[in-house]
Amino acid sequence: MNARILPYVLILPVTIFLCLFFLYPFILVAQLAFTTGAGFTLDNFREVVSHWKFPISMRNTLLLAGIVVPVQLALALLMATMVTKMDKGRDMVLYVWTIPLGISDLAAGLIWLAIFEQSGFLNTMMGALGLVERPVNLLTFQNPVLVFVAIALAEIWRATAIMLVILVAGIGLIPKEYYEAAEVFGASPWKRFVRITLPLLRPSLQTALVLRVILAFEVFAVVQALGGTLFPVLMGETYAYQFDLLNSGAAAAMALIILVISIAATLVILRVLRVPKGATI
Amino acid sequence: MTDATATAAPATDTRRAGRFLYLAGVVVLCAWVIVPIYFLLVNTLSSPDTVNSFPKPFIPDFDLGSLAFFAKFAGMLTALKNSVIVAGMTMILSILIGAPAGYALSRFDFAGKELFRLLILLTRAFPLPLLALPLAVFFIRTGLDDTTFGLALVHTTLALPFAVLITFSLFSGIPIELEEAAWTLGCTRVTAFTKVVLPLILPGITASAIFAFVISWNEVFAAAVLTIENRTLTAFLLQNLDTSPLHLKFAGGFILVVPALIFIFAVRKYLFAMWGIANR
Amino acid sequence: MTFRKGVIGAASGLTILMSGAAVQADVLFWSTQAKPVEEAQAMREQVLAGAGQAVDYQPNDDGPFLTRLQAELQAGTGTIGVLGALEGSFAAMNPDDLVDLDDLGLMSSSETFNDLARMGTDNLQYLPWMQASYIMAANKEALQYLPEGADIDALSYDQLIAWAANVHEAVGEAKFGFPAGPKGLKHRFFQGYLYPSYTNGVVRTFASDEAVTAWEKFKELWTHTNPASTNFSFMQEQLLSGDAWIVFDHTSRLAQAFNERPDDFVAFPAPAGPHGRGFMPVLAGIAIPRTAPDMEASKALVAYMMKPETQIATLRATSFFPVVDVEFPDDMPPAVQAAGAAVAKMSAAADANPGLLPSGLGDKGGDFSRVFVDTFERIVLAGHDIRAVLDDHKGQLSAIMEESGAPCWAPDAPSEGACPVE
């Protein structure tokens, strides 16, 4: 087959699929953001941005993503490297570390609420260890920092496996000879990690980071379970507009704002972690 | 001689310390994952009184009442079957459609490549509950409504970005020289692909399969809107759980989690398929 | 060979046809009520089993409920046979999308409910199906701290605050529980209980001086409220875990506590303010969308749900009370007995000040409630100045009333045209 049209043939199924099942409904919904029944208008955006909760939810979402994602990246890299060094028991350890993948975000919220609530497991443990006399009320509006920490912990627990799986899949292709050669030349484990693993893992890093960041801007279920009404995030506000206030125009506007932020972050990551052309090593 | 042994001793010490740290790290990270799940199990196997009590027990009292309730809950098995069917179809579709695109992205430079990649990522950056209405109207009009296949199509849309990008990142790690060598040795493009490249990207396919299965399994909104008679277990159960009594929340949550965990267990070793094989 | 094949083919074809037909004969009862798994189970097994036809009861979250309904209405055909939802959901719908139900000859025993069900038209768009209310509940442990001379069935807000303060002091922890969580029904408390009791109005008096007093009193109560209340949406959980000893919530969100440990808790009426004991009913309705596949079957199901025996079975299953006159049997579950007694005392109280559900707001109902939620969050959680916040949101409330054109409802004095915010 002609090598010029081959790539287009290969991406044709995906393109058709996404045009039909994503682009088509997306265009219909995105239109709503620009109409209020009286023709083209930016009123929906104005309404959404001027609500008192908007800057708060924007700040919360960006803060949460900005703290959780780097921690998860470091943790996932650490876990991926650890797992490559194992021989026996490697399967089991990797399995354990990918368990959170199978847990829906609603179930994860439930579990972590059971840990952090006043009559929950953390208080039980602290009481048993004698650290506190009576159960501490952690998730209250008087402790916004604690609420944030609880949410961040739950999110780190839940979503690190996403990046881990992608990195593990990619790390297996790094030729062992490189490490052996580096050891012969006296390179320390850290140097080997930074000079061999990271660069060769670039495509997987790029994929893992981009996918995780996009999902991080859409965080909702765990935040609602642990933070209640204390920690508004962009996606929660979007759903409120759509299902409580029955305002699809405003909801579409919010969703487009989240989309723009996601695209911006994606472009930055794609630029910083450029995969060299041909991607051969 | 003494010098060598003298330097050898501290070196073994640091190595031992390093090894201990490593093992400790592995254990801590495993505990970090398992302990919260264990709490879920404890609450599932406890009586309603225990679930609401304080202090919480660390050993469950093996009260199967909450699980027994779900055993008698009408419609569970059909819903379970539907979930498995939809997740299976999502896996197959997303890999079949997505892997070729991943290959194209890594091997070729073509006009519209960046735009295409952006389109793929866009699909995850817009929430599905907002898109559900036009999709449902479309499905009702075309007869795809209330079919497991129709729902699988929607779930595939969610899983495609993972399939495409993961296979892309893996193909990028396989030097083109490998394929070229196979061509010079008489393979066609296709055989070179299936015999040389495919085994090497099996971890990528496994990862994509895991994501596809899990995404489809845990998806609730589209499943609740697009399937009625053929409800998936998640659509059938998850919506009712957040208003249910606490002990049933845990038991139901546990039931929803188990099949996904079983699936990941079954495919775990394929994430390492060609581990350590020198590919030069 | 061919003959056998033919017979087998015909037989399987017939089976397929019959199973297909059997599946179609299920009336799809698409609802947002009876969502907890036990209630859904009870609806299917005890209430709908005697309907005389196969019914598929599917309770959903609001999001999928609405999206599916809208999709079917847009597409013009559908599988939903009967809708069950709160009256607020119906109020936001277009009456043309619902089939007129006057020809069934059925109504509730309350003219107010029937009026709401007409949605501003001359015909019944939905039938009032079942009702509930919001009450207070307490752990019996807390009873010893009641203030001197207070009658639990006739508390004033001041007595309630004193009670919560006594518990707080004695136990060292704030034990009043309030459903301030994301799915909590806090806005109904402000609309139907706090405002009527203190200001004898909801819309007109939103920013009045009496409203300022009401919020000040609530802030005082909040100092004795469990601060994790911003996570609480179903107070039965906190009653059972002991995190809260005195709570306010919807009767069906307290049911589990009473059913599991009936001897540990008491139910009692909401407190009274200077303008009486404000309270508000919750109404659920049952309707038929215009895209229902089998009108006869749908109407038969609706008629069945309105029968007294079915209403009593529904009460057992969901803790929602009948809207038609019924004879209550003696063996009701503890939650029903406790809640029923409290609601009866509340309605029969000398200073009862019943409020109506907001009506005429159309799809602005959500915005209306959001004003109260925002006011609560800013005054109570963020500590902003009460007068400033009320004046701030007054404009929003005015705009909502103007846009929807809704006239005043009890306890506000009637108005000509849209209800003004004074």
Side-chain angles (χ1 to χ4, degrees), chain C residues 220-398:
Chain C
E220 219 188 305
L221 181 57
W222 186 258
T223 57
H224 307 296
T225 307
N226 189 327
S229 285
T230 44
N231 253 339
F232 299 163
S233 300
F234 303 89
M235 296 315 298
Q236 62 202 6
E237 290 178 15
Q238 277 66 42
L239 274 181
L240 284 170
S241 69
D243 285 347
W245 282 4
I246 311 169
V247 306
F248 167 90
D249 209 344
H250 190 296
T251 49
S252 73
R253 292 183 177 194
L254 297 169
Q256 197 213 343
F258 286 104
N259 283 333
E260 264 185 43
R261 287 157 44 186
D263 300 320
D264 288 350
F265 306 109
V266 290
F268 55 96
H275 282 285
R277 199 171 298 273
F279 66 93
M280 194 165 78
V282 178
L283 177 65
I286 185 170
I288 303 179
R290 62 174 162 77
T291 49
D294 187 344
M295 280 298 165
E296 291 308 310
S298 296
K299 289 190 175 168
L301 180 58
V302 169
Y304 172 75
M305 295 307 290
M306 298 297 289
K307 282 165 52 171
E309 308 85 63
T310 325
Q311 295 260 314
I312 292 185
T314 312
L315 172 58
R316 279 186 217 276
T318 64
S319 298
F320 265 76
F321 281 76
V323 292
V324 298
D325 291 320
V326 297
E327 279 276 327
F328 287 100
D330 295 321
D331 60 336
M332 289 279 122
V336 172
Q337 288 180 15
V343 174
K345 285 181 208 152
M346 204 154 59
S347 330
D351 55 355
N353 190 351
L356 282 188
L357 293 157
S359 69
L361 289 171
D363 60 359
K364 286 284 165 199
D367 294 89
F368 180 77
S369 293
R370 188 166 77 156
V371 170
F372 288 88
V373 171
D374 283 355
T375 312
F376 159 73
E377 288 186 9
R378 292 176 67 187
I379 292 179
V380 177
L381 293 182
H384 293 172
D385 172 54
I386 298 180
R387 185 28 78 196
V389 172
L390 287 179
D391 287 336
D392 219 0
H393 286 282
K394 191 169 143 172
Q396 273 177 8
L397 190 59
S398 244

Side-chain angles (χ1 to χ4, degrees), chain A:
Chain A
M1 186 176 297
N2 188 349
R4 289 228 6 246
I5 65 164
L6 182 57
Y8 294 104
V9 169
L10 290 175
I11 68 167
L12 193 63
V14 175
T15 317
I16 296 181
F17 203 90
L18 290 183
C19 282
L20 202 55
F21 294 105
F22 173 74
L23 221 50
Y24 159 69
F26 171 74
I27 291 178
L28 286 179
V29 171
Q31 273 177 351
L32 292 175
F34 295 100
T35 55
T36 45
F40 182 87
T41 164
L42 290 176
D43 277 348
N44 284 320
F45 289 94
R46 253 175 247 134
E47 184 187 332
V48 151
V49 169
S50 57
H51 188 234
W52 69 282
K53 269 195 175 159
F54 180 77
I56 300 179
S57 52
M58 173 73 88
R59 186 202 70 197
N60 284 343
T61 312
L62 293 178
L63 192 63
L64 191 61
I67 291 190
V68 165
V69 173
V71 169
Q72 286 183 321
L73 182 62
L75 202 55
L77 278 171
L78 178 66
M79 289 158 108
T81 351
M82 282 173 118
V83 114
T84 58
K85 290 219 171 33
M86 276 180 227
D87 28 271
K88 284 180 291 184
R90 189 178 59 199
D91 285 352
M92 271 322 287
V93 169
L94 185 64
Y95 173 66
V96 166
W97 286 350
T98 55
I99 283 181
L101 215 50
I103 307 225
S104 72
D105 34 10
L106 283 154
L110 187 67
I111 294 175
W112 283 88
L113 186 61
I115 294 177
F116 281 119
E117 64 186 352
Q118 195 177 19
S119 47
F121 286 99
L122 185 61
N123 270 312
T124 311
M125 280 196 286
M126 293 201 294
L129 290 175
L131 292 173
V132 292
E133 270 176 22
R134 50 158 40 119
V136 178
N137 217 343
L138 295 158
L139 298 174
T140 72
F141 72 98
Q142 296 148 334
N143 308 330
V145 177
L146 268 177
V147 171
F148 179 79
V149 168
I151 294 176
L153 271 176
E155 271 291 291
I156 292 174
W157 181 86
R158 183 187 71 83
T160 306
I162 296 178
M163 295 210 271
L164 178 65
V165 171
I166 299 176
L167 292 177
V168 162
I171 220 173
L173 283 172
I174 299 177
K176 265 209 171 144
E177 297 86 21
Y178 287 2
Y179 293 116
E180 289 164 8
E183 258 190 279
V184 163
F185 283 114
S188 69
W190 174 252
K191 249 218 162 75
R192 275 179 272 154
F193 177 74
V194 172
R195 290 301 171 89
I196 301 177
T197 316
L198 279 188
L200 292 177
L201 209 47
R202 235 189 210 191
S204 298
L205 270 175
Q206 188 191 69
T207 299
L209 211 50
V210 165
L211 284 170
R212 178 67 195 110
V213 160
I214 290 182
L215 292 178
F217 290 136
E218 297 180 334
V219 70
F220 171 64
V222 168
V223 171
Q224 194 183 55
L226 289 174
T229 43
L230 293 174
F231 201 78
V233 282
L234 292 173
M235 195 47 86
E237 294 300 298
T238 313
Y239 290 147
Y241 277 115
Q242 175 81 353
F243 301 121
D244 296 333
L245 302 176
L246 304 178
N247 189 343
S248 349
M254 282 289 296
L256 283 179
I257 292 176
I258 301 178
L259 183 67
V260 164
I261 299 176
S262 300
I263 295 181
T266 304
L267 289 176
V268 166
I269 296 174
L270 288 181
R271 194 98 257 272
V272 166
L273 286 177
R274 269 189 309 287
V275 175
K277 211 191 282 205
T280 59
I281 305 110

Side-chain angles (χ1 to χ4, degrees), chain B residues 126-174:
Chain B
F126 202 82
L128 185 60
L130 261 61
L131 299 173
L133 180 52
L135 276 173
V137 175
F138 174 54
F139 274 28
I140 293 178
R141 289 197 179 131
T142 55
L144 280 172
D145 179 47
D146 208 1
T147 58
T148 46
F149 181 64
L151 187 61
L153 290 174
V154 175
H155 286 175
T156 307
T157 316
L158 290 178
L160 270 178
F162 285 86
V164 171
L165 292 177
I166 294 177
T167 47
F168 154 73
S169 59
L170 256 85
F171 280 126
S172 302
I174 298 176

Side-chain angles (χ1 to χ4, degrees), chain C residues 135-158:
Chain C
I135 54 172
M136 315 258 329
N139 192 324
K140 284 191 179 162
E141 292 262 342
L143 292 178
Q144 53 183 304
Y145 301 108
L146 271 169
E148 278 291 324
D151 173 13
I152 195 175
D153 288 327
L155 286 174
S156 71
Y157 274 96
D158 288 322

